[in-house]
């Protein structure tokens, strides 16, 4: 009876220690997760803050552009009202965001931040230039609103003041954006240190648990086993019990194998979902960058081109000056074309507007035009639109395949085929390039490109097959199930 009571006390003590150790590990895990989520939220706020600070630079340039158009070009009455309205709107937004950034109360984004001393000091240096641009802009607006046709040169002083302080404002705004980014990285570095500390504490608790819980428990278990071996009751029932236990173990083993396979499949599916989320995030970021290039940089370049054309038509310049202006116009046109090509490569609008067949056709035409490679596209796909993931995945696979054929295989002829059969859509990429041995991929970038195509095919629940040999070109076959919108 005394031994039984002692065993109960030991068991209770081990149970309390075990619960205490697990509680400590759980507390550290929960606390770490809360801290991480809090810092992730802060990082998101920092990213939005940096984006807002960057927009201030763009809006200041837009203010200067509108002022120059209104004061130098003398547009007609209708255009003048439109530019004046845009100037007032942008100026009001620019002022609002400046004061919100300076105070840290970003009501436009629904967040509050505490500016560092470096940021406050930068605002002190920035404010004089901001005030000069702000005051002169308001003076110009007032003159334009109070006079149907302001006298020539009436705003010249204000415009000069704005132009003298614009570049100083832009340089200090750039420094401020870099400071915001630097502080965000410092916060992230501090978070990493805290995570390592929490990890060390969790490992230390686990170590204590092993030393003071599991180790004594093992000793007690060994003692109990010895007592069972010495027991008289073991002899009579041992054989029958062992047989029964053996059957139970086999059943448990079968169940464990089944559960292990199920868990493995779940892990594969989870990894697949995470990869899909990452790729979806990348595609969304490409879509955003394409919009920014097209709507932001493209419009600014177009405005620059118009301004250069206006300058070219404003006077009778010497031949050398005209040649320089013509050369500048050509460079701007090339830059606009390159910006459009970058925007198209990031996310072609034809893919979201007209579907995969039209996007692949345009890809073949533009790639052939830019590389002087004969690229043929043929398709019998005229059915309903596929879902977004399938269309984007097939387009990226084709884009990677064509790029590899041109860049690495040095192919002169490429064929893109898109077809459907038995509920599946087939994409074939065939080139007459130099080919390669799959066991000896010399270029890491080529190997990465092939792996990317395989991953995207796998995420679409499809099959990927590649046939290649030196001197005989490369054939890529992709088959994915059709999923409509």
């Amino acid at each position: 009876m005394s031994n039984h009571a002692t065993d109960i006390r030991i068991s209770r003590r081990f149970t309390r220690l075990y619960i205490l150790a697990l509680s400590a590990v759980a507390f550290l895990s929960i606390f770490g997760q809360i801290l991480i989520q809090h810092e992730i939220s802060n990082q998101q706020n920092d990213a939005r803050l940096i984006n807002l600070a960057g927009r201030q630079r763009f809006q200041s340039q837009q203010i200067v552009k509108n002022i120059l158009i209104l004061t130098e070009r003398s547009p007609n009455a209708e255009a003048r009202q439109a530019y004046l309205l845009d100037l007032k709107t942008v100026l009001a937004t620019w002022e609002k965001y400046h004061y919100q950034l300076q105070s840290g109360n970003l009501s436009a984004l629904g967040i509050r931040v505490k500016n560092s001393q470096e940021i406050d000091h930068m605002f002190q240096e920035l404010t004089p230039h901001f005030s000069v641009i702000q005051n002169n802009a308001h003076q110009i607006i007032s003159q334009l609103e109070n006079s149907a046709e302001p006298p020539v040169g009436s705003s010249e002083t204000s415009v000069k003041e704005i132009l003298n302080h614009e570049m100083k404002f832009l340089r200090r705004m750039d420094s401020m954006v870099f400071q915001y980014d630097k502080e965000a990285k410092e916060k992230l570095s501090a978070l990493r240190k805290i995570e390592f500390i929490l990890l060390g504490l969790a490992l230390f608790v686990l170590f204590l648990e092993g030393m003071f819980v599991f180790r004594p428990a093992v000793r007690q278990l060994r003692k109990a086993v010895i007592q069972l071996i010495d027991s008289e009751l073991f002899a009579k029932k041992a054989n029958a019990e062992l047989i029964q236990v053996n059957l139970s173990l086999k059943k448990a083993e079968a169940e464990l194998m089944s559960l292990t396979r199920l868990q493995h499949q779940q892990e594969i599916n989870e990894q697949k979902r995470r990869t899909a989320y990452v790729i979806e995030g990348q595609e969304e970021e490409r879509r955003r960058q394409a919009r920014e290039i097209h709507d932001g940089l493209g419009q600014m370049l177009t405005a620059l081109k118009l301004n250069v054309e206006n300058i070219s038509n404003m006077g009778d310049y010497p031949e050398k000056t005209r040649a320089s202006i013509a050369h500048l116009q050509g460079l701007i046109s090339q830059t606009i074309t390159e910006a459009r090509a970058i925007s198209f490569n990031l996310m072609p609008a034809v893919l979201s507007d007209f579907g995969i067949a039209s996007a692949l056709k345009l890809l073949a035409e533009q790639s052939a035009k830019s590389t002087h490679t004969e690229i043929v596209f043929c398709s019998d796909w005229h059915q309903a639109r596929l879902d977004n993931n399938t269309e984007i995945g097939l387009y990226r696979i084709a884009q990677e395949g064509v790029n590899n054929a041109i860049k690495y295989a040095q192919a002169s002829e490429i064929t893109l085929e898109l077809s459907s059969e038995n509920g599946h859509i087939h994409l074939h990429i065939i080139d007459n390039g130099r080919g390669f041995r799959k066991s000896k991929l010399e270029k890491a970038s080529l190997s990465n490109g092939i792996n990317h195509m395989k991953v995207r095919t796998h995420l679409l629940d499809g099959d990927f097959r590649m046939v290649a040999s030196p001197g005989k070109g490369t054939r890529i076959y992709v088959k994915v199930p059709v999923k409509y919108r």
Side-chain angles (χ1 to χ4, degrees):
M1 189 69 178
S2 177
N3 290 336
H4 180 66
T6 301
D7 292 340
I8 292 176
R9 288 196 301 271
I10 292 174
S11 175
R12 289 177 177 175
R13 181 167 65 86
F14 284 151
T15 302
R16 288 194 297 269
L17 290 174
Y18 185 74
I19 293 174
L20 180 62
L22 289 181
S23 300
V25 174
F27 171 77
L28 290 174
S29 300
I30 295 173
F31 177 76
Q33 189 60 227
I34 293 174
L35 180 63
I36 290 172
Q37 293 299 324
H38 176 71
E39 289 300 323
I40 288 175
S41 177
N42 289 339
Q43 287 294 317
Q44 292 174 342
N45 291 339
D46 291 340
R48 298 164 70 186
L49 184 67
I50 294 170
N51 181 53
L52 183 59
R55 289 181 59 188
Q56 287 295 93
R57 189 181 188 280
F58 165 74
Q59 288 181 335
S60 68
Q61 294 174 316
Q62 192 172 1
I63 290 171
V64 173
K65 183 194 75 172
N66 287 337
I67 288 176
L68 291 175
I69 291 175
L70 289 168
T71 57
E72 302 293 337
R73 293 177 56 182
S74 299
N76 57 45
E78 182 179 356
R80 182 170 176 266
Q81 289 299 320
Y83 282 117
L84 184 59
L85 177 60
D86 183 66
L87 174 60
K88 293 166 65 178
T89 302
V90 175
L91 181 61
T93 304
W94 184 62
E95 293 171 338
K96 179 180 71 173
Y97 287 157
H98 176 84
Y99 294 129
Q100 290 186 5
L101 285 170
Q102 189 173 16
S103 66
N105 182 14
L106 304 174
S107 58
L109 301 179
I111 59 176
R112 295 181 66 89
V113 296
K114 180 175 177 60
N115 289 335
S116 63
Q117 293 182 354
E118 289 81 2
I119 293 296
D120 289 335
H121 180 70
M122 288 180 175
F123 268 111
Q124 292 178 1
E125 296 180 347
L126 181 71
T127 299
H129 307 294
F130 168 84
S131 300
V132 170
I133 297 175
Q134 178 190 32
N135 294 334
N136 284 279
H138 280 292
Q139 290 179 8
I140 292 173
I141 291 173
S142 177
Q143 292 175 0
L144 293 172
E145 288 180 337
N146 295 331
S147 176
E149 291 292 333
V152 177
S154 59
S155 303
E156 183 177 353
T157 301
S158 297
V159 172
K160 287 182 178 179
E161 284 292 315
I162 290 173
L163 293 177
N164 288 337
H165 288 268
E166 180 201 11
M167 187 55 63
K168 299 176 182 178
F169 176 86
L170 293 177
R171 283 197 296 267
R172 284 166 175 79
M173 202 69 225
D174 282 340
S175 300
M176 192 174 297
V177 171
F178 291 139
Q179 181 63 28
Y180 278 129
D181 183 66
K182 177 184 176 183
E183 292 177 2
K185 291 179 179 178
E186 291 174 351
K187 293 179 183 177
L188 185 60
S189 177
L191 175 62
R192 289 196 182 98
K193 294 179 181 178
I194 295 174
E195 287 180 345
F196 284 126
I197 292 174
L198 292 176
L199 176 61
L201 290 175
L203 293 175
F204 180 72
V205 171
L206 290 175
F207 172 77
L208 294 179
E209 185 176 354
M211 291 295 296
F212 298 104
V213 178
F214 289 110
R215 191 176 178 184
V218 169
R219 287 198 297 265
Q220 292 296 324
L221 182 60
R222 184 182 298 113
K223 181 180 178 182
V225 170
I226 293 174
Q227 291 175 351
L228 287 174
I229 293 174
D230 295 337
S231 177
E232 295 179 0
L233 298 175
F234 176 82
K236 294 181 180 180
K237 299 181 180 179
N239 190 43
E241 290 177 354
L242 284 174
I243 294 174
Q244 188 64 32
V245 169
N246 187 40
L247 294 175
S248 299
L249 285 175
K250 288 182 178 180
K251 182 179 179 181
E253 182 181 4
E255 293 176 353
L256 180 61
M257 291 296 294
S258 177
L259 290 175
T260 301
R261 285 194 296 269
L262 179 60
Q263 182 180 6
H264 180 65
Q265 185 61 40
Q266 289 176 345
E267 290 175 353
I268 291 175
N269 293 337
E270 182 63 25
Q271 180 64 30
K272 185 176 178 180
R273 283 193 294 270
R274 285 196 295 266
T275 305
Y277 293 152
V278 171
I279 290 179
E280 288 177 5
Q282 291 174 346
E283 293 297 339
E284 183 60 29
E285 179 64 15
R286 288 178 174 178
R287 188 178 290 108
R288 183 188 66 79
Q289 291 178 353
R291 285 198 302 267
E292 290 183 355
I293 291 174
H294 182 271
D295 298 338
L297 180 61
Q299 292 182 4
M300 294 175 65
L301 289 172
T302 302
L304 178 61
K305 181 179 179 182
L306 293 175
N307 285 336
V308 172
E309 290 176 354
N310 290 334
I311 292 173
S312 176
N313 298 328
M314 287 175 61
D316 188 12
Y317 300 104
E319 186 63 25
K320 185 175 181 181
T321 302
R322 287 191 171 276
S324 299
I325 293 175
H327 178 66
L328 179 60
Q329 289 175 327
L331 289 177
I332 295 174
S333 298
Q334 292 178 3
T335 305
I336 293 173
T337 301
E338 185 67 21
R340 289 173 178 171
I342 294 173
S343 176
F344 174 83
N345 287 331
L346 286 172
M347 182 55 65
V350 67
L351 180 61
S352 58
D353 293 340
F354 301 103
I356 183 62
S358 299
L360 292 182
K361 181 179 179 182
L362 185 58
L363 172 65
E365 293 174 352
Q366 292 199 352
S367 298
K369 182 178 179 181
S370 60
T371 62
H372 304 292
T373 303
E374 183 179 350
I375 303 177
V376 178
F377 172 71
C378 53
S379 171
D380 63 354
W381 180 260
H382 302 294
Q383 302 182 31
R385 291 288 300 277
L386 300 170
D387 76 318
N388 289 335
N389 289 336
T390 302
E391 289 187 343
I392 292 175
L394 288 173
Y395 181 81
R396 293 302 181 197
I397 293 170
Q399 190 179 41
E400 187 69 38
V402 171
N403 179 67
N404 288 345
I406 296 173
K407 187 175 182 181
Y408 302 110
Q410 298 178 358
S412 60
E413 297 178 4
I414 303 173
T415 300
L416 277 177
E417 297 179 0
L418 185 70
S419 60
S420 61
E421 183 180 359
N422 298 329
H424 288 79
I425 186 166
H426 299 260
L427 174 63
H428 297 168
I429 308 170
I430 304 169
D431 67 71
N432 66 343
R434 61 184 183 181
F436 58 91
R437 288 189 178 91
K438 288 190 287 186
S439 60
K440 296 182 179 180
L441 292 178
E442 299 177 352
K443 295 185 178 294
S445 55
L446 175 58
S447 177
N448 290 336
I450 294 173
N451 289 333
H452 290 164
M453 289 189 285
K454 289 181 179 179
V455 170
R456 286 188 178 273
T457 304
H458 178 65
L459 292 177
L460 297 176
D461 297 324
D463 298 323
F464 178 90
R465 187 165 60 93
M466 182 175 62
V467 179
S469 59
K472 297 182 179 180
T474 305
R475 294 172 176 262
I476 297 175
Y477 302 97
V478 176
K479 181 179 75 172
V480 299
V482 174
K483 297 179 182 178
Y484 297 107
R485 292 192 175 185

